[in-house]
Amino acid sequence: MRALDIKLFRDLRRLWTQVLAISLVVAGGVATLLMAVGSYRSLEETRAAYYERYFFADVFATVRRAPKSVLSQIALIPGVAAVEGRIAKLALLDIPGYSAPATGQFVSLPESGTASLNRLYMRLGNMPESGRTDQVLVNESFAKAHRLSPGSRFSAVLNGRKRELTIVGVALSPEFIYAVGPGDLMPDDSRFGIIWMPEKALSGAYDLEGAFSSVAVKLMRNAQEREVMLRIDALLERYGGRAAYGRKDQTSHAWLDHELDMLGNMSRTLPPIFLLVSAYLVNLTLGRLVALEREQIGLLKAVGYRSRQVIAHYLKFVTVIVAIGVVIGSVAGTLLGATITQLFGDFFHFPFLVFDKSADLYVLAAALSLLTATLGAVRSLIEVARMPPAVAMQPPTPRRFRKLLPAGWGRGVLPQSTRIMIRNVASHPIRAAFTMLGISLSTAILIVSLFTRDTMEQLVEVIYFQADRQDATVSFVERRPLETVMQVARMPGVLAAEPRREVPARIRNGSIERRITVNAYPESPDLSRVIDVNLRPVALPETGIALSSMLAKILGVGVGESVEIDILEGERRTVALPVTALVEDYFGIRGMTSIASLARIMREAPSISAVNVSLDPIWQQQFFDAIKLTPAIGALALQRRSLETFRQVIALLITTMAGIYTVLAACIACGVVYNGARVSLSERARELASLRVLGFTQQEVFRILLLELAVLTLAAQPLGWVLGFGLAAIMQANLAGEIMRVRLVVADQTYLLASGIVLAAAIASAAVIRARVNRLDLVAVLKTRD
């Protein structure tokens, strides 16, 4: 073994705790990169494979009732590869043993048994038998929520008639990966299910023989999606068709896209911070190692070693540290990535998962780690190259101490150990600043890992307690006259009722266009309030429209400016409306106006599509029973149940992700604090040993060292809070999308918790350092040359 390799082995053994601490920080960066990018790639490939194998459509449209002959005309549109007409209707379900009414999205199955688009993955059972009108398939999550299996029975109100149905199979569909019911924000598997029923049975129930109410279209590879949608709109307009929309606006795909974007943004934000901190630690440790081995470097050069050989030796030292970190990080990142992928896979109900373990990702993680660590070592390596042998073998020039404080400052007021600590920090301002920066980054990473909990709590407060304060939302199968709200108000247990209308629309400003829903409420709603960007209730305008702040940002409009709106229902008019207010909206993008204003825009009598109600909990079951007996009602959303589901989802996804990042950030905090303290002890070992000889006790010597660590750690916290808030702002901006966004909220408890973790790391490091101070060999240390 070459002499330099033996020296490398001895250095690694001597500095193993510092090497391990830096390696753990490198491992944190590698693990976050592999976890975030690996799970993102796995879910992306799983989605692509699922869509391709089960022929997920590209364009969708709904219509009141259109003859099947129109399907052949759609098939002739240039760019259309396949078209599937079906019947899709909402209906109330009565599940045995479940008191609240559930909602079912009924979708017809073709008589041939196999759909050309949006094919089903059969998890259990069989397809309905030919000619049977009572057999159905249900989606897997709904079946699990109610412990339903082939042979189970439930009833549904189809077009006003109650039907007993038998489950013969459990299936999954690429069209309903994210199945959310009307009025809900998150999937509630117990209250919303997908029911597939033979076309003959469903068309008979809704009087749609020879007709369809929904169409799905598959496009050719080079098709112009917008052109195809315009042509479909033209064909379906006379049959009450709503505007066609692409995958971007399909609920399931849009939510899945949002979650994948969130994972992708995390993979681009957090790993660079971990790698930056590891570079700092390499710089700190290698710089001290080179300073301590100054004489050995000079001796090596004097006996014939070239500078590049000595530099290569220290590069090997860095490479070994990185290699240990890459191995640990690869193992941890692979396991965490698989866990996150499985977590998201279960949440979205994929029938299979494609785990991505591409070698390029591991190579990229290793290369980035080595690059950043090498950059951290550059200053020390340059110093090694410039060090002449004769100069290196001489003692270093004594440091020049400048009088920074008045003579006798603090004497009689501050203990001797405190004045020594202050003098030492003041004598090395750059080193102290870098140590504080490293500790600040640790605090900042913890804050950015923990702030999602605060933003989600703020979102819950605004959505569920300030804006949507109703207990339930009753949705109708078809729009109803405004007077219907009085009928709902007379139902058992209803304390207050407010109407609501939803109309699909396209909103446009110049060339920027989005498909939205225009929501109409009473001018001053009390149950479902509209909140502005300052969280104050907004009175809806008699004319004009209020926009989600995100929508206004996308369109580039402000209050007072006009937007063009295509109403996609009724007479399908195009109108220009002034923007009257910007609304704080965390889910989706929409426009809001009063019911009277919407009726004038649509040139029709005021009507409603849903009613928000406040309920007396004592009468809840009677209210449920009345809902089940009302054929016109298609869905019921329960606000309290929606909040419980939201918290479960947050606990499952956000909290898990934040927990993983917090543990990794805590490793960084330990690495930074311990390395800083260890280097400080190494640099001052001779000084501390001298103090012991002069009569200082072990406790007093340790106090000098501890005070410096404590002062730097505490002084670093305010900067860490500022950096953490800045990183949280970057993360919040990256995570904001058209589907969901959050406000930047960092609670005081988060700052305290982050600082508490760093202080705990500092205390643990102090305990280790104390053991080393107690074992200090005074004779051996004093023999070393300063």
Side-chain angles (χ1 to χ4, degrees), residues 665-676:
C667 290
I668 282 192
C670 290
V672 171
V673 175
Y674 175 75
N675 265 281

Side-chain angles (χ1 to χ4, degrees), residues 27 44 69 177 185 303 354 386 504 512 550 557 599 666 675 686 715 718:
E44 182 71 43
S69 58
I177 293 174
L185 296 175
V303 298
V354 179
R386 290 177 175 174
I512 307 173
M550 184 68 178
V557 296
N675 265 281
R686 196 167 191 276

Side-chain angles (χ1 to χ4, degrees), residues 172-391:
L172 297 169
S173 167
E175 189 180 1
F176 300 105
I177 293 174
Y178 189 94
V180 59
D184 285 331
L185 296 175
M186 290 282 166
D188 184 346
D189 295 333
S190 64
R191 299 196 56 260
F192 183 69
I194 311 299
I195 319 293
W196 289 276
M197 194 172 185
E199 182 179 324
K200 187 175 181 181
L202 204 55
S203 63
Y206 284 94
D207 193 24
L208 285 170
E209 289 89 351
F212 65 92
S213 65
S214 171
V215 63
V217 173
K218 187 74 178 173
L219 300 179
M220 295 178 182
R221 185 175 297 276
N222 298 319
Q224 299 294 318
E225 183 184 86
R226 180 173 172 77
E227 182 64 25
V228 172
M229 289 195 295
L230 290 175
R231 292 198 175 204
I232 291 175
D233 288 346
L235 287 171
L236 297 181
E237 184 175 358
R238 69 163 76 174
Y239 304 107
R242 294 182 171 184
Y245 55 93
R247 284 184 181 180
K248 184 172 71 69
D249 294 315
Q250 203 263 345
T251 303
S252 172
H253 177 84
W255 270 99
L256 184 54
D257 224 29
H258 172 76
E259 296 296 335
L260 291 179
D261 281 348
M262 188 180 73
L263 276 178
N265 284 324
M266 281 188 174
S267 71
R268 290 188 289 273
T269 305
L270 288 180
I273 301 172
F274 281 71
L275 295 176
L276 181 66
V277 175
S278 69
Y280 159 74
L281 290 180
V282 168
N283 178 283
L284 186 73
T285 305
L286 195 63
R288 179 54 192 159
L289 185 64
V290 169
L292 288 175
E293 296 185 348
R294 175 187 175 92
E295 182 183 353
Q296 294 179 32
I297 293 170
L299 188 60
L300 288 170
K301 289 187 175 183
V303 298
Y305 285 95
R306 297 179 180 274
S307 292
R308 66 170 181 271
Q309 291 175 302
V310 181
I311 290 174
H313 161 71
Y314 286 104
L315 270 178
K316 282 183 182 178
F317 179 78
V318 174
T319 304
V320 171
I321 293 175
V322 172
I324 295 172
V326 168
V327 171
I328 297 173
S330 297
V331 174
T334 302
L335 294 175
L336 290 174
T339 302
I340 294 298
T341 304
Q342 188 66 53
L343 191 70
F344 277 81
D346 292 342
F347 176 72
F348 286 110
H349 309 293
F350 285 115
F352 53 82
L353 283 174
V354 179
F355 288 104
D356 183 274
K357 294 181 181 177
S358 304
D360 68 307
L361 187 55
Y362 292 86
V363 173
L364 176 66
L368 285 176
S369 301
L370 185 60
L371 177 64
T372 51
T374 304
L375 288 175
V378 164
R379 184 178 64 86
S380 302
L381 297 177
I382 292 175
E383 189 177 340
V384 169
R386 290 177 175 174
M387 200 178 291
V391 176

Side-chain angles (χ1 to χ4, degrees), residues 644-667:
E644 291 172 3
T645 306
F646 185 81
R647 287 197 182 281
Q648 288 172 2
V649 172
I650 295 303
L652 182 68
L653 299 180
I654 303 295
T655 307
T656 302
M657 294 288 290
I660 291 172
Y661 282 121
T662 302
V663 170
L664 293 174
C667 290

